[in-house]
Amino acid sequence: GTAQLIDGAVTSAKLASGAVANTPAFHATNSATQDLNSGSYTKVAFNTETYDPQGCYNNTGGTVTLNGLSVPLYSFMPNVAGYYSCTMMAFMYDDGTDITDASVRMTLNGSAFCGGTFFDSGNNFGYRSGICSEVVYFDGSSHYLQAEAYVNVGAGTPQILASIYNTFQAHKLLT
């Protein structure tokens, strides 16, 4: 029989077994601090998969083939058509403590469709975090999703810190 989701914990094994029917799904984080280019959007290197049982997320810095599809760097390209709930969050830092503007966004096939402005940590130490979430239609063969961050600073090197606050995730909505 099919495994059941009795204990409420979503695991890779349960996702792969069909116990959770809203798949494909993935969740990724970043394992290292990433420098950003001040004044322009940078693709976030979500390189650590928490789960991706259907193999639809590319967690590398180059294009790879997954499920017979050519998937660009750090992107989700599900091979099943449908509507997906997608979310990304990034925690940004500037060692010069002078972030003047910051935002995050997700892109579909390279075009921005969802964005979120920063939340000020209120401590004047140059920390900002942003989140965006949206329901997106994927055609199952050519649509891919990527996450980007934007920081504008007067001095210092803006970064995305290796943090539990940085996540990129999506799952197919039940139909």
Side-chain angles (χ1 to χ4, degrees), residues 18-57:
V20 180
N22 53 342
T23 58
F26 87 99
H27 180 272
T29 61
N30 65 323
S31 64
T33 296
Q34 177 185 357
D35 289 347
L36 301 174
N37 298 319
S38 179
S40 64
Y41 277 96
T42 304
K43 290 188 184 13
V44 180
F46 287 109
N47 61 352
T48 303
E49 294 177 329
T50 307
Y51 58 84
D52 179 21
Q54 292 77 30
C56 295
Y57 179 70

mmCIF file of all heavy atoms in Angstrom, residues 18-57:
data_model
loop_
_atom_site.group_PDB
_atom_site.id
_atom_site.type_symbol
_atom_site.label_atom_id
_atom_site.label_comp_id
_atom_site.label_asym_id
_atom_site.label_seq_id
_atom_site.Cartn_x
_atom_site.Cartn_y
_atom_site.Cartn_z
ATOM 1 N N GLY A 18 4.175 8.925 -2.531
ATOM 2 C CA GLY A 18 2.829 9.338 -2.887
ATOM 3 C C GLY A 18 1.951 9.596 -1.681
ATOM 4 O O GLY A 18 0.771 9.890 -1.824
ATOM 5 N N ALA A 19 2.480 9.478 -0.478
ATOM 6 C CA ALA A 19 1.694 9.755 0.726
ATOM 7 C C ALA A 19 1.275 11.218 0.755
ATOM 8 O O ALA A 19 0.264 11.567 1.332
ATOM 9 C CB ALA A 19 2.499 9.422 1.987
ATOM 10 N N VAL A 20 2.064 12.046 0.141
ATOM 11 C CA VAL A 20 1.722 13.451 -0.019
ATOM 12 C C VAL A 20 1.529 13.654 -1.516
ATOM 13 O O VAL A 20 2.455 13.515 -2.289
ATOM 14 C CB VAL A 20 2.852 14.368 0.518
ATOM 15 C CG1 VAL A 20 2.493 15.823 0.340
ATOM 16 C CG2 VAL A 20 3.123 14.059 1.982
ATOM 17 N N ALA A 21 0.308 13.964 -1.933
ATOM 18 C CA ALA A 21 -0.027 13.951 -3.353
ATOM 19 C C ALA A 21 0.317 15.234 -4.094
ATOM 20 O O ALA A 21 0.194 15.279 -5.296
ATOM 21 C CB ALA A 21 -1.512 13.644 -3.523
ATOM 22 N N ASN A 22 0.711 16.275 -3.406
ATOM 23 C CA ASN A 22 0.975 17.540 -4.091
ATOM 24 C C ASN A 22 2.439 17.622 -4.522
ATOM 25 O O ASN A 22 3.197 18.436 -4.051
ATOM 26 C CB ASN A 22 0.544 18.731 -3.251
ATOM 27 C CG ASN A 22 1.132 18.716 -1.861
ATOM 28 O OD1 ASN A 22 1.588 17.692 -1.381
ATOM 29 N ND2 ASN A 22 1.111 19.848 -1.208
ATOM 30 N N THR A 23 2.795 16.747 -5.462
ATOM 31 C CA THR A 23 4.143 16.702 -5.997
ATOM 32 C C THR A 23 4.071 16.828 -7.513
ATOM 33 O O THR A 23 3.031 16.547 -8.102
ATOM 34 C CB THR A 23 4.827 15.372 -5.617
ATOM 35 O OG1 THR A 23 4.053 14.292 -6.112
ATOM 36 C CG2 THR A 23 5.019 15.245 -4.123
ATOM 37 N N PRO A 24 5.126 17.261 -8.154
ATOM 38 C CA PRO A 24 6.470 17.514 -7.663
ATOM 39 C C PRO A 24 6.531 18.641 -6.619
ATOM 40 O O PRO A 24 5.696 19.539 -6.616
ATOM 41 C CB PRO A 24 7.252 17.923 -8.899
ATOM 42 C CG PRO A 24 6.476 17.401 -10.064
ATOM 43 C CD PRO A 24 5.054 17.403 -9.611
ATOM 44 N N ALA A 25 7.561 18.519 -5.804
ATOM 45 C CA ALA A 25 7.804 19.501 -4.755
ATOM 46 C C ALA A 25 9.296 19.544 -4.467
ATOM 47 O O ALA A 25 10.013 18.582 -4.716
ATOM 48 C CB ALA A 25 7.048 19.119 -3.490
ATOM 49 N N PHE A 26 9.758 20.685 -3.959
ATOM 50 C CA PHE A 26 11.159 20.786 -3.541
ATOM 51 C C PHE A 26 11.273 21.849 -2.451
ATOM 52 O O PHE A 26 10.392 22.696 -2.282
ATOM 53 C CB PHE A 26 12.084 21.144 -4.719
ATOM 54 C CG PHE A 26 12.208 22.631 -4.953
ATOM 55 C CD1 PHE A 26 13.306 23.339 -4.472
ATOM 56 C CD2 PHE A 26 11.218 23.332 -5.627
ATOM 57 C CE1 PHE A 26 13.405 24.711 -4.671
ATOM 58 C CE2 PHE A 26 11.310 24.697 -5.829
ATOM 59 C CZ PHE A 26 12.409 25.393 -5.354
ATOM 60 N N HIS A 27 12.367 21.777 -1.720
ATOM 61 C CA HIS A 27 12.723 22.790 -0.735
ATOM 62 C C HIS A 27 14.241 22.878 -0.739
ATOM 63 O O HIS A 27 14.927 21.854 -0.688
ATOM 64 C CB HIS A 27 12.235 22.388 0.658
ATOM 65 C CG HIS A 27 12.571 23.396 1.710
ATOM 66 N ND1 HIS A 27 13.768 23.375 2.396
ATOM 67 C CD2 HIS A 27 11.877 24.453 2.185
ATOM 68 C CE1 HIS A 27 13.780 24.388 3.262
ATOM 69 N NE2 HIS A 27 12.644 25.050 3.144
ATOM 70 N N ALA A 28 14.777 24.084 -0.838
ATOM 71 C CA ALA A 28 16.228 24.265 -0.880
ATOM 72 C C ALA A 28 16.635 25.445 -0.005
ATOM 73 O O ALA A 28 15.854 26.378 0.206
ATOM 74 C CB ALA A 28 16.703 24.487 -2.313
ATOM 75 N N THR A 29 17.859 25.383 0.491
ATOM 76 C CA THR A 29 18.455 26.456 1.287
ATOM 77 C C THR A 29 19.849 26.743 0.717
ATOM 78 O O THR A 29 20.288 26.080 -0.215
ATOM 79 C CB THR A 29 18.587 26.054 2.769
ATOM 80 O OG1 THR A 29 19.444 24.897 2.857
ATOM 81 C CG2 THR A 29 17.233 25.727 3.378
ATOM 82 N N ASN A 30 20.525 27.726 1.299
ATOM 83 C CA ASN A 30 21.898 28.011 0.871
ATOM 84 C C ASN A 30 22.860 27.588 1.972
ATOM 85 O O ASN A 30 22.610 27.820 3.146
ATOM 86 C CB ASN A 30 22.082 29.483 0.513
ATOM 87 C CG ASN A 30 21.911 30.396 1.701
ATOM 88 O OD1 ASN A 30 21.075 30.164 2.567
ATOM 89 N ND2 ASN A 30 22.702 31.449 1.759
ATOM 90 N N SER A 31 23.964 26.983 1.585
ATOM 91 C CA SER A 31 24.913 26.471 2.573
ATOM 92 C C SER A 31 26.121 27.374 2.781
ATOM 93 O O SER A 31 26.953 27.084 3.626
ATOM 94 C CB SER A 31 25.398 25.076 2.154
ATOM 95 O OG SER A 31 26.116 25.166 0.939
ATOM 96 N N ALA A 32 26.206 28.451 1.998
ATOM 97 C CA ALA A 32 27.365 29.340 2.114
ATOM 98 C C ALA A 32 26.935 30.780 1.889
ATOM 99 O O ALA A 32 25.951 31.057 1.207
ATOM 100 C CB ALA A 32 28.426 28.962 1.081
ATOM 101 N N THR A 33 27.684 31.698 2.479
ATOM 102 C CA THR A 33 27.446 33.123 2.249
ATOM 103 C C THR A 33 27.719 33.430 0.778
ATOM 104 O O THR A 33 28.675 32.922 0.200
ATOM 105 C CB THR A 33 28.348 33.965 3.165
ATOM 106 O OG1 THR A 33 27.971 33.701 4.517
ATOM 107 C CG2 THR A 33 28.207 35.444 2.885
ATOM 108 N N GLN A 34 26.861 34.241 0.182
ATOM 109 C CA GLN A 34 26.992 34.585 -1.236
ATOM 110 C C GLN A 34 27.096 36.094 -1.388
ATOM 111 O O GLN A 34 26.250 36.829 -0.891
ATOM 112 C CB GLN A 34 25.756 34.071 -1.993
ATOM 113 C CG GLN A 34 25.736 34.429 -3.457
ATOM 114 C CD GLN A 34 24.429 33.996 -4.143
ATOM 115 O OE1 GLN A 34 23.559 33.378 -3.549
ATOM 116 N NE2 GLN A 34 24.315 34.333 -5.413
ATOM 117 N N ASP A 35 28.146 36.562 -2.059
ATOM 118 C CA ASP A 35 28.272 37.985 -2.363
ATOM 119 C C ASP A 35 27.256 38.378 -3.426
ATOM 120 O O ASP A 35 26.984 37.619 -4.354
ATOM 121 C CB ASP A 35 29.682 38.322 -2.866
ATOM 122 C CG ASP A 35 30.728 38.258 -1.776
ATOM 123 O OD1 ASP A 35 30.363 38.198 -0.583
ATOM 124 O OD2 ASP A 35 31.926 38.266 -2.121
ATOM 125 N N LEU A 36 26.702 39.584 -3.287
ATOM 126 C CA LEU A 36 25.741 40.122 -4.251
ATOM 127 C C LEU A 36 26.349 41.326 -4.948
ATOM 128 O O LEU A 36 27.232 41.988 -4.407
ATOM 129 C CB LEU A 36 24.455 40.548 -3.538
ATOM 130 C CG LEU A 36 23.712 39.472 -2.760
ATOM 131 C CD1 LEU A 36 22.552 40.068 -1.992
ATOM 132 C CD2 LEU A 36 23.223 38.387 -3.709
ATOM 133 N N ASN A 37 25.857 41.613 -6.127
ATOM 134 C CA ASN A 37 26.274 42.811 -6.848
ATOM 135 C C ASN A 37 25.376 43.951 -6.405
ATOM 136 O O ASN A 37 24.157 43.881 -6.571
ATOM 137 C CB ASN A 37 26.156 42.609 -8.356
ATOM 138 C CG ASN A 37 27.054 41.508 -8.857
ATOM 139 O OD1 ASN A 37 28.187 41.386 -8.418
ATOM 140 N ND2 ASN A 37 26.548 40.689 -9.759
ATOM 141 N N SER A 38 25.946 44.989 -5.839
ATOM 142 C CA SER A 38 25.151 46.136 -5.412
ATOM 143 C C SER A 38 24.484 46.786 -6.613
ATOM 144 O O SER A 38 25.103 47.012 -7.646
ATOM 145 C CB SER A 38 26.038 47.165 -4.702
ATOM 146 O OG SER A 38 25.270 48.287 -4.307
ATOM 147 N N GLY A 39 23.180 47.041 -6.491
ATOM 148 C CA GLY A 39 22.451 47.747 -7.523
ATOM 149 C C GLY A 39 21.885 46.897 -8.642
ATOM 150 O O GLY A 39 21.355 47.435 -9.605
ATOM 151 N N SER A 40 21.992 45.565 -8.547
ATOM 152 C CA SER A 40 21.394 44.717 -9.575
ATOM 153 C C SER A 40 20.917 43.403 -8.937
ATOM 154 O O SER A 40 21.408 42.996 -7.884
ATOM 155 C CB SER A 40 22.382 44.432 -10.701
ATOM 156 O OG SER A 40 23.481 43.690 -10.229
ATOM 157 N N TYR A 41 19.973 42.761 -9.603
ATOM 158 C CA TYR A 41 19.481 41.473 -9.107
ATOM 159 C C TYR A 41 20.514 40.385 -9.348
ATOM 160 O O TYR A 41 21.164 40.351 -10.386
ATOM 161 C CB TYR A 41 18.165 41.100 -9.793
ATOM 162 C CG TYR A 41 16.972 41.756 -9.150
ATOM 163 C CD1 TYR A 41 16.455 42.938 -9.659
ATOM 164 C CD2 TYR A 41 16.380 41.215 -8.017
ATOM 165 C CE1 TYR A 41 15.367 43.560 -9.066
ATOM 166 C CE2 TYR A 41 15.290 41.823 -7.409
ATOM 167 C CZ TYR A 41 14.792 42.986 -7.940
ATOM 168 O OH TYR A 41 13.718 43.597 -7.350
ATOM 169 N N THR A 42 20.643 39.491 -8.368
ATOM 170 C CA THR A 42 21.559 38.356 -8.437
ATOM 171 C C THR A 42 20.771 37.090 -8.159
ATOM 172 O O THR A 42 19.968 37.054 -7.218
ATOM 173 C CB THR A 42 22.676 38.496 -7.374
ATOM 174 O OG1 THR A 42 23.353 39.740 -7.554
ATOM 175 C CG2 THR A 42 23.670 37.354 -7.462
ATOM 176 N N LYS A 43 20.986 36.046 -8.953
ATOM 177 C CA LYS A 43 20.347 34.767 -8.688
ATOM 178 C C LYS A 43 20.892 34.213 -7.374
ATOM 179 O O LYS A 43 22.090 34.196 -7.155
ATOM 180 C CB LYS A 43 20.594 33.789 -9.823
ATOM 181 C CG LYS A 43 19.833 34.198 -11.064
ATOM 182 C CD LYS A 43 19.878 33.184 -12.138
ATOM 183 C CE LYS A 43 19.192 33.643 -13.399
ATOM 184 N NZ LYS A 43 18.845 35.027 -13.556
ATOM 185 N N VAL A 44 20.001 33.751 -6.521
ATOM 186 C CA VAL A 44 20.415 33.219 -5.229
ATOM 187 C C VAL A 44 20.806 31.752 -5.404
ATOM 188 O O VAL A 44 20.070 30.964 -5.997
ATOM 189 C CB VAL A 44 19.299 33.359 -4.180
ATOM 190 C CG1 VAL A 44 19.755 32.804 -2.838
ATOM 191 C CG2 VAL A 44 18.887 34.823 -4.037
ATOM 192 N N ALA A 45 21.968 31.405 -4.874
ATOM 193 C CA ALA A 45 22.512 30.050 -4.988
ATOM 194 C C ALA A 45 21.920 29.157 -3.901
ATOM 195 O O ALA A 45 22.576 28.820 -2.919
ATOM 196 C CB ALA A 45 24.033 30.085 -4.903
ATOM 197 N N PHE A 46 20.667 28.754 -4.088
ATOM 198 C CA PHE A 46 20.037 27.792 -3.173
ATOM 199 C C PHE A 46 20.564 26.412 -3.560
ATOM 200 O O PHE A 46 20.004 25.728 -4.400
ATOM 201 C CB PHE A 46 18.510 27.869 -3.285
ATOM 202 C CG PHE A 46 17.924 29.104 -2.671
ATOM 203 C CD1 PHE A 46 17.400 30.108 -3.462
ATOM 204 C CD2 PHE A 46 17.907 29.271 -1.293
ATOM 205 C CE1 PHE A 46 16.843 31.248 -2.894
ATOM 206 C CE2 PHE A 46 17.366 30.412 -0.710
ATOM 207 C CZ PHE A 46 16.835 31.397 -1.516
ATOM 208 N N ASN A 47 21.686 26.022 -2.956
ATOM 209 C CA ASN A 47 22.435 24.853 -3.397
ATOM 210 C C ASN A 47 22.247 23.603 -2.550
ATOM 211 O O ASN A 47 22.822 22.571 -2.846
ATOM 212 C CB ASN A 47 23.924 25.193 -3.483
ATOM 213 C CG ASN A 47 24.489 25.608 -2.133
ATOM 214 O OD1 ASN A 47 23.754 25.788 -1.170
ATOM 215 N ND2 ASN A 47 25.786 25.766 -2.064
ATOM 216 N N THR A 48 21.463 23.677 -1.504
ATOM 217 C CA THR A 48 21.268 22.524 -0.635
ATOM 218 C C THR A 48 19.802 22.116 -0.645
ATOM 219 O O THR A 48 18.952 22.862 -0.154
ATOM 220 C CB THR A 48 21.725 22.839 0.805
ATOM 221 O OG1 THR A 48 23.094 23.248 0.773
ATOM 222 C CG2 THR A 48 21.577 21.633 1.709
ATOM 223 N N GLU A 49 19.527 20.957 -1.191
ATOM 224 C CA GLU A 49 18.156 20.466 -1.234
ATOM 225 C C GLU A 49 17.787 19.798 0.084
ATOM 226 O O GLU A 49 18.502 18.909 0.550
ATOM 227 C CB GLU A 49 17.981 19.464 -2.371
ATOM 228 C CG GLU A 49 18.134 20.068 -3.743
ATOM 229 C CD GLU A 49 18.033 19.033 -4.847
ATOM 230 O OE1 GLU A 49 18.413 17.869 -4.625
ATOM 231 O OE2 GLU A 49 17.577 19.399 -5.937
ATOM 232 N N THR A 50 16.684 20.235 0.679
ATOM 233 C CA THR A 50 16.142 19.558 1.853
ATOM 234 C C THR A 50 15.347 18.355 1.375
ATOM 235 O O THR A 50 15.444 17.277 1.935
ATOM 236 C CB THR A 50 15.241 20.515 2.650
ATOM 237 O OG1 THR A 50 15.969 21.720 2.917
ATOM 238 C CG2 THR A 50 14.796 19.897 3.957
ATOM 239 N N TYR A 51 14.553 18.573 0.334
ATOM 240 C CA TYR A 51 13.899 17.472 -0.357
ATOM 241 C C TYR A 51 13.623 17.875 -1.801
ATOM 242 O O TYR A 51 13.445 19.038 -2.125
ATOM 243 C CB TYR A 51 12.616 17.000 0.347
ATOM 244 C CG TYR A 51 11.552 18.072 0.528
ATOM 245 C CD1 TYR A 51 10.652 18.379 -0.492
ATOM 246 C CD2 TYR A 51 11.414 18.734 1.736
ATOM 247 C CE1 TYR A 51 9.673 19.350 -0.317
ATOM 248 C CE2 TYR A 51 10.440 19.698 1.925
ATOM 249 C CZ TYR A 51 9.563 19.995 0.893
ATOM 250 O OH TYR A 51 8.600 20.950 1.066
ATOM 251 N N ASP A 52 13.641 16.886 -2.670
ATOM 252 C CA ASP A 52 13.352 17.035 -4.097
ATOM 253 C C ASP A 52 13.187 15.628 -4.670
ATOM 254 O O ASP A 52 13.961 15.190 -5.508
ATOM 255 C CB ASP A 52 14.486 17.786 -4.800
ATOM 256 C CG ASP A 52 14.255 17.966 -6.300
ATOM 257 O OD1 ASP A 52 13.088 17.882 -6.749
ATOM 258 O OD2 ASP A 52 15.243 18.177 -7.027
ATOM 259 N N PRO A 53 12.197 14.881 -4.184
ATOM 260 C CA PRO A 53 12.102 13.465 -4.549
ATOM 261 C C PRO A 53 11.851 13.200 -6.030
ATOM 262 O O PRO A 53 12.225 12.143 -6.527
ATOM 263 C CB PRO A 53 10.939 12.946 -3.697
ATOM 264 C CG PRO A 53 10.163 14.152 -3.315
ATOM 265 C CD PRO A 53 11.148 15.282 -3.247
ATOM 266 N N GLN A 54 11.265 14.138 -6.753
ATOM 267 C CA GLN A 54 11.028 13.929 -8.173
ATOM 268 C C GLN A 54 12.178 14.466 -9.035
ATOM 269 O O GLN A 54 12.136 14.355 -10.255
ATOM 270 C CB GLN A 54 9.716 14.599 -8.612
ATOM 271 C CG GLN A 54 8.480 13.947 -8.028
ATOM 272 C CD GLN A 54 8.259 14.326 -6.569
ATOM 273 O OE1 GLN A 54 8.622 15.406 -6.126
ATOM 274 N NE2 GLN A 54 7.671 13.426 -5.817
ATOM 275 N N GLY A 55 13.188 15.071 -8.411
ATOM 276 C CA GLY A 55 14.359 15.545 -9.142
ATOM 277 C C GLY A 55 14.062 16.663 -10.121
ATOM 278 O O GLY A 55 14.526 16.644 -11.255
ATOM 279 N N CYS A 56 13.299 17.672 -9.677
ATOM 280 C CA CYS A 56 12.909 18.779 -10.560
ATOM 281 C C CYS A 56 13.632 20.085 -10.243
ATOM 282 O O CYS A 56 13.412 21.084 -10.917
ATOM 283 C CB CYS A 56 11.395 19.003 -10.464
ATOM 284 S SG CYS A 56 10.421 17.619 -11.080
ATOM 285 N N TYR A 57 14.495 20.098 -9.215
ATOM 286 C CA TYR A 57 15.216 21.318 -8.859
ATOM 287 C C TYR A 57 16.698 21.149 -9.169
ATOM 288 O O TYR A 57 17.324 20.158 -8.766
ATOM 289 C CB TYR A 57 15.036 21.656 -7.379
ATOM 290 C CG TYR A 57 15.793 22.907 -6.985
ATOM 291 C CD1 TYR A 57 15.382 24.155 -7.448
ATOM 292 C CD2 TYR A 57 16.941 22.842 -6.217
ATOM 293 C CE1 TYR A 57 16.084 25.303 -7.126
ATOM 294 C CE2 TYR A 57 17.649 23.986 -5.888
ATOM 295 C CZ TYR A 57 17.219 25.209 -6.345
ATOM 296 O OH TYR A 57 17.923 26.345 -6.035
#
